[in-house]
Amino acid sequence: MKPAISVIIPIYNVENYLADCIDSVLAQTFKNYELILIDDGSTDGSNAIATEYTKKFPEKITLYTRENAGPGPSRNLGIENANGEYTLFMDSDDVADETMLEELYASATSLQTQIALCPYYRHGLFDELTIEGTFDFDTNIVYTGTDFLRKTSTKITTCTKLYQTEFIKNFSFPAIWFEDVAWLIVVMSYAESISYVPTPFYHYLRHNTSIVSSTSNEQILGSADAVRFFKEHSNPENKEALFAMADGMNESGYGEKAMKVF
């Protein structure tokens, strides 16, 4: 039977977190899914952990192993091999509540939307917990990606959304820093229908090895690449929303260097 949802998880050196991430998918109340793992050249025990899960659940889990290229190309490989009507991305050091797939799928299918999204929990380095990614959207109304771009803050995550697979096959992740931010803005600039579930299901677990846990010149330049990417690839008919998005990025610390490319 063709899966309704493809869950895609790129993996790189997350041996301390990977089992919890995979277990949170296996615990989902919605069972008609496939889990695609892409090991991006891990040098720790991540591949062994992923391989063990694949052997234990061969009907659910597929593992691809590749040379290190970054999360963007790994997600692209996942999309290429996705069989589900919808696709959901997870980071390999995060977890999802057990009803996430069920609730997002119900929203997407009942309203026939290209994307269904929800807020998320952000767990800080010092055990602080916040809920982010909330919107004043009605759960029974279909919105557009432009509505998202005009209302969102810059705390964007690719992982709290269920995407129509055929729709996102039109968009490739770039091989740059902050590739998820750049990709999502491009996708939203073309999305004609999105729906909203107000309950946070996804747990974004920040730790000392997270990309966003430190700032460097390399990351600043990476954010500039992200801005350049979404400027060049987004829907030209949504320039107003994109400028608003860029202003928000500047205000929230993406840096003057990054914004000079816009």
PDB file of all heavy atoms in Angstrom, residues 104-123:
ATOM      1  N   LEU A 104      -1.927  16.949  11.381  1.00  0.00           N
ATOM      2  CA  LEU A 104      -1.552  17.698  10.182  1.00  0.00           C
ATOM      3  C   LEU A 104      -2.166  17.074   8.924  1.00  0.00           C
ATOM      4  O   LEU A 104      -2.615  17.788   8.016  1.00  0.00           O
ATOM      5  CB  LEU A 104      -0.037  17.772  10.050  1.00  0.00           C
ATOM      6  CG  LEU A 104       0.686  18.638  11.077  1.00  0.00           C
ATOM      7  CD1 LEU A 104       2.188  18.649  10.799  1.00  0.00           C
ATOM      8  CD2 LEU A 104       0.157  20.070  11.075  1.00  0.00           C
ATOM      9  N   TYR A 105      -2.207  15.750   8.868  1.00  0.00           N
ATOM     10  CA  TYR A 105      -2.810  15.080   7.715  1.00  0.00           C
ATOM     11  C   TYR A 105      -4.305  15.372   7.632  1.00  0.00           C
ATOM     12  O   TYR A 105      -4.846  15.605   6.550  1.00  0.00           O
ATOM     13  CB  TYR A 105      -2.571  13.574   7.807  1.00  0.00           C
ATOM     14  CG  TYR A 105      -3.072  12.808   6.614  1.00  0.00           C
ATOM     15  CD1 TYR A 105      -2.362  12.795   5.418  1.00  0.00           C
ATOM     16  CD2 TYR A 105      -4.262  12.067   6.677  1.00  0.00           C
ATOM     17  CE1 TYR A 105      -2.805  12.079   4.317  1.00  0.00           C
ATOM     18  CE2 TYR A 105      -4.719  11.353   5.593  1.00  0.00           C
ATOM     19  CZ  TYR A 105      -3.984  11.362   4.405  1.00  0.00           C
ATOM     20  OH  TYR A 105      -4.453  10.655   3.313  1.00  0.00           O
ATOM     21  N   ALA A 106      -4.974  15.376   8.773  1.00  0.00           N
ATOM     22  CA  ALA A 106      -6.400  15.679   8.790  1.00  0.00           C
ATOM     23  C   ALA A 106      -6.661  17.089   8.276  1.00  0.00           C
ATOM     24  O   ALA A 106      -7.607  17.326   7.512  1.00  0.00           O
ATOM     25  CB  ALA A 106      -6.952  15.515  10.207  1.00  0.00           C
ATOM     26  N   SER A 107      -5.828  18.034   8.666  1.00  0.00           N
ATOM     27  CA  SER A 107      -5.991  19.418   8.217  1.00  0.00           C
ATOM     28  C   SER A 107      -5.756  19.534   6.715  1.00  0.00           C
ATOM     29  O   SER A 107      -6.539  20.148   5.987  1.00  0.00           O
ATOM     30  CB  SER A 107      -5.023  20.332   8.972  1.00  0.00           C
ATOM     31  OG  SER A 107      -5.092  21.653   8.483  1.00  0.00           O
ATOM     32  N   ALA A 108      -4.665  18.944   6.244  1.00  0.00           N
ATOM     33  CA  ALA A 108      -4.307  19.048   4.827  1.00  0.00           C
ATOM     34  C   ALA A 108      -5.348  18.401   3.927  1.00  0.00           C
ATOM     35  O   ALA A 108      -5.709  18.944   2.875  1.00  0.00           O
ATOM     36  CB  ALA A 108      -2.938  18.423   4.582  1.00  0.00           C
ATOM     37  N   THR A 109      -5.841  17.243   4.330  1.00  0.00           N
ATOM     38  CA  THR A 109      -6.778  16.518   3.474  1.00  0.00           C
ATOM     39  C   THR A 109      -8.187  17.077   3.549  1.00  0.00           C
ATOM     40  O   THR A 109      -8.905  17.103   2.544  1.00  0.00           O
ATOM     41  CB  THR A 109      -6.796  15.025   3.836  1.00  0.00           C
ATOM     42  OG1 THR A 109      -7.065  14.864   5.239  1.00  0.00           O
ATOM     43  CG2 THR A 109      -5.460  14.384   3.496  1.00  0.00           C
ATOM     44  N   SER A 110      -8.610  17.536   4.717  1.00  0.00           N
ATOM     45  CA  SER A 110      -9.972  18.064   4.837  1.00  0.00           C
ATOM     46  C   SER A 110     -10.131  19.391   4.106  1.00  0.00           C
ATOM     47  O   SER A 110     -11.190  19.667   3.519  1.00  0.00           O
ATOM     48  CB  SER A 110     -10.351  18.235   6.311  1.00  0.00           C
ATOM     49  OG  SER A 110      -9.522  19.203   6.950  1.00  0.00           O
ATOM     50  N   LEU A 111      -9.068  20.205   4.109  1.00  0.00           N
ATOM     51  CA  LEU A 111      -9.124  21.505   3.429  1.00  0.00           C
ATOM     52  C   LEU A 111      -8.432  21.486   2.076  1.00  0.00           C
ATOM     53  O   LEU A 111      -8.409  22.498   1.376  1.00  0.00           O
ATOM     54  CB  LEU A 111      -8.494  22.576   4.318  1.00  0.00           C
ATOM     55  CG  LEU A 111      -9.228  22.877   5.624  1.00  0.00           C
ATOM     56  CD1 LEU A 111      -8.457  23.890   6.466  1.00  0.00           C
ATOM     57  CD2 LEU A 111     -10.637  23.386   5.357  1.00  0.00           C
ATOM     58  N   GLN A 112      -7.869  20.336   1.709  1.00  0.00           N
ATOM     59  CA  GLN A 112      -7.207  20.165   0.409  1.00  0.00           C
ATOM     60  C   GLN A 112      -6.116  21.223   0.193  1.00  0.00           C
ATOM     61  O   GLN A 112      -6.111  21.957  -0.798  1.00  0.00           O
ATOM     62  CB  GLN A 112      -8.236  20.222  -0.724  1.00  0.00           C
ATOM     63  CG  GLN A 112      -9.208  19.048  -0.734  1.00  0.00           C
ATOM     64  CD  GLN A 112      -8.504  17.722  -1.001  1.00  0.00           C
ATOM     65  OE1 GLN A 112      -7.956  17.501  -2.079  1.00  0.00           O
ATOM     66  NE2 GLN A 112      -8.503  16.829  -0.013  1.00  0.00           N
ATOM     67  N   THR A 113      -5.196  21.292   1.138  1.00  0.00           N
ATOM     68  CA  THR A 113      -4.136  22.291   1.063  1.00  0.00           C
ATOM     69  C   THR A 113      -2.800  21.672   0.679  1.00  0.00           C
ATOM     70  O   THR A 113      -2.555  20.484   0.897  1.00  0.00           O
ATOM     71  CB  THR A 113      -3.975  23.030   2.407  1.00  0.00           C
ATOM     72  OG1 THR A 113      -3.754  22.084   3.461  1.00  0.00           O
ATOM     73  CG2 THR A 113      -5.214  23.843   2.720  1.00  0.00           C
ATOM     74  N   GLN A 114      -1.939  22.497   0.125  1.00  0.00           N
ATOM     75  CA  GLN A 114      -0.594  22.052  -0.246  1.00  0.00           C
ATOM     76  C   GLN A 114       0.316  21.925   0.963  1.00  0.00           C
ATOM     77  O   GLN A 114       1.268  21.140   0.955  1.00  0.00           O
ATOM     78  CB  GLN A 114       0.020  23.051  -1.239  1.00  0.00           C
ATOM     79  CG  GLN A 114      -0.693  23.093  -2.581  1.00  0.00           C
ATOM     80  CD  GLN A 114      -0.270  24.303  -3.387  1.00  0.00           C
ATOM     81  OE1 GLN A 114      -0.164  25.411  -2.856  1.00  0.00           O
ATOM     82  NE2 GLN A 114      -0.012  24.090  -4.678  1.00  0.00           N
ATOM     83  N   ILE A 115       0.025  22.703   2.010  1.00  0.00           N
ATOM     84  CA  ILE A 115       0.844  22.697   3.224  1.00  0.00           C
ATOM     85  C   ILE A 115      -0.068  22.832   4.435  1.00  0.00           C
ATOM     86  O   ILE A 115      -0.968  23.680   4.446  1.00  0.00           O
ATOM     87  CB  ILE A 115       1.864  23.855   3.227  1.00  0.00           C
ATOM     88  CG1 ILE A 115       2.782  23.784   2.001  1.00  0.00           C
ATOM     89  CG2 ILE A 115       2.703  23.841   4.511  1.00  0.00           C
ATOM     90  CD1 ILE A 115       3.668  25.004   1.823  1.00  0.00           C
ATOM     91  N   ALA A 116       0.164  22.009   5.440  1.00  0.00           N
ATOM     92  CA  ALA A 116      -0.485  22.167   6.740  1.00  0.00           C
ATOM     93  C   ALA A 116       0.609  22.402   7.766  1.00  0.00           C
ATOM     94  O   ALA A 116       1.615  21.687   7.774  1.00  0.00           O
ATOM     95  CB  ALA A 116      -1.300  20.931   7.107  1.00  0.00           C
ATOM     96  N   LEU A 117       0.428  23.408   8.628  1.00  0.00           N
ATOM     97  CA  LEU A 117       1.490  23.768   9.572  1.00  0.00           C
ATOM     98  C   LEU A 117       0.976  23.935  10.985  1.00  0.00           C
ATOM     99  O   LEU A 117      -0.220  24.116  11.208  1.00  0.00           O
ATOM    100  CB  LEU A 117       2.192  25.050   9.134  1.00  0.00           C
ATOM    101  CG  LEU A 117       1.350  26.320   9.077  1.00  0.00           C
ATOM    102  CD1 LEU A 117       2.126  27.495   9.642  1.00  0.00           C
ATOM    103  CD2 LEU A 117       0.952  26.624   7.637  1.00  0.00           C
ATOM    104  N   CYS A 118       1.895  23.877  11.931  1.00  0.00           N
ATOM    105  CA  CYS A 118       1.549  24.039  13.339  1.00  0.00           C
ATOM    106  C   CYS A 118       2.681  24.755  14.054  1.00  0.00           C
ATOM    107  O   CYS A 118       3.797  24.857  13.529  1.00  0.00           O
ATOM    108  CB  CYS A 118       1.297  22.675  13.986  1.00  0.00           C
ATOM    109  SG  CYS A 118       2.767  21.626  14.118  1.00  0.00           S
ATOM    110  N   PRO A 119       2.437  25.266  15.259  1.00  0.00           N
ATOM    111  CA  PRO A 119       3.524  25.858  16.060  1.00  0.00           C
ATOM    112  C   PRO A 119       4.470  24.766  16.558  1.00  0.00           C
ATOM    113  O   PRO A 119       4.278  23.574  16.286  1.00  0.00           O
ATOM    114  CB  PRO A 119       2.783  26.522  17.233  1.00  0.00           C
ATOM    115  CG  PRO A 119       1.347  26.543  16.842  1.00  0.00           C
ATOM    116  CD  PRO A 119       1.140  25.379  15.911  1.00  0.00           C
ATOM    117  N   TYR A 120       5.479  25.186  17.319  1.00  0.00           N
ATOM    118  CA  TYR A 120       6.446  24.219  17.834  1.00  0.00           C
ATOM    119  C   TYR A 120       6.986  24.671  19.181  1.00  0.00           C
ATOM    120  O   TYR A 120       6.922  25.855  19.536  1.00  0.00           O
ATOM    121  CB  TYR A 120       7.598  24.018  16.851  1.00  0.00           C
ATOM    122  CG  TYR A 120       8.366  25.280  16.498  1.00  0.00           C
ATOM    123  CD1 TYR A 120       9.532  25.628  17.171  1.00  0.00           C
ATOM    124  CD2 TYR A 120       7.924  26.115  15.480  1.00  0.00           C
ATOM    125  CE1 TYR A 120      10.236  26.767  16.849  1.00  0.00           C
ATOM    126  CE2 TYR A 120       8.620  27.262  15.145  1.00  0.00           C
ATOM    127  CZ  TYR A 120       9.775  27.584  15.822  1.00  0.00           C
ATOM    128  OH  TYR A 120      10.465  28.730  15.496  1.00  0.00           O
ATOM    129  N   TYR A 121       7.480  23.709  19.938  1.00  0.00           N
ATOM    130  CA  TYR A 121       8.155  23.989  21.196  1.00  0.00           C
ATOM    131  C   TYR A 121       9.640  24.200  20.912  1.00  0.00           C
ATOM    132  O   TYR A 121      10.255  23.409  20.195  1.00  0.00           O
ATOM    133  CB  TYR A 121       8.006  22.825  22.168  1.00  0.00           C
ATOM    134  CG  TYR A 121       6.602  22.552  22.630  1.00  0.00           C
ATOM    135  CD1 TYR A 121       5.879  21.483  22.100  1.00  0.00           C
ATOM    136  CD2 TYR A 121       6.004  23.332  23.611  1.00  0.00           C
ATOM    137  CE1 TYR A 121       4.594  21.202  22.536  1.00  0.00           C
ATOM    138  CE2 TYR A 121       4.720  23.058  24.062  1.00  0.00           C
ATOM    139  CZ  TYR A 121       4.019  21.990  23.511  1.00  0.00           C
ATOM    140  OH  TYR A 121       2.746  21.728  23.940  1.00  0.00           O
ATOM    141  N   ARG A 122      10.206  25.246  21.489  1.00  0.00           N
ATOM    142  CA  ARG A 122      11.649  25.441  21.416  1.00  0.00           C
ATOM    143  C   ARG A 122      12.235  25.232  22.811  1.00  0.00           C
ATOM    144  O   ARG A 122      11.919  25.961  23.750  1.00  0.00           O
ATOM    145  CB  ARG A 122      11.999  26.845  20.916  1.00  0.00           C
ATOM    146  CG  ARG A 122      13.505  27.088  20.804  1.00  0.00           C
ATOM    147  CD  ARG A 122      13.815  28.502  20.348  1.00  0.00           C
ATOM    148  NE  ARG A 122      13.447  28.705  18.968  1.00  0.00           N
ATOM    149  CZ  ARG A 122      14.259  28.493  17.933  1.00  0.00           C
ATOM    150  NH1 ARG A 122      15.482  28.037  18.142  1.00  0.00           N
ATOM    151  NH2 ARG A 122      13.853  28.711  16.709  1.00  0.00           N
ATOM    152  N   HIS A 123      13.073  24.226  22.938  1.00  0.00           N
ATOM    153  CA  HIS A 123      13.733  23.912  24.200  1.00  0.00           C
ATOM    154  C   HIS A 123      15.111  24.565  24.186  1.00  0.00           C
ATOM    155  O   HIS A 123      15.943  24.254  23.335  1.00  0.00           O
ATOM    156  CB  HIS A 123      13.875  22.404  24.364  1.00  0.00           C
ATOM    157  CG  HIS A 123      12.570  21.668  24.428  1.00  0.00           C
ATOM    158  ND1 HIS A 123      12.070  21.133  25.586  1.00  0.00           N
ATOM    159  CD2 HIS A 123      11.647  21.396  23.455  1.00  0.00           C
ATOM    160  CE1 HIS A 123      10.917  20.551  25.335  1.00  0.00           C
ATOM    161  NE2 HIS A 123      10.639  20.692  24.048  1.00  0.00           N
TER     162      HIS A 123
END
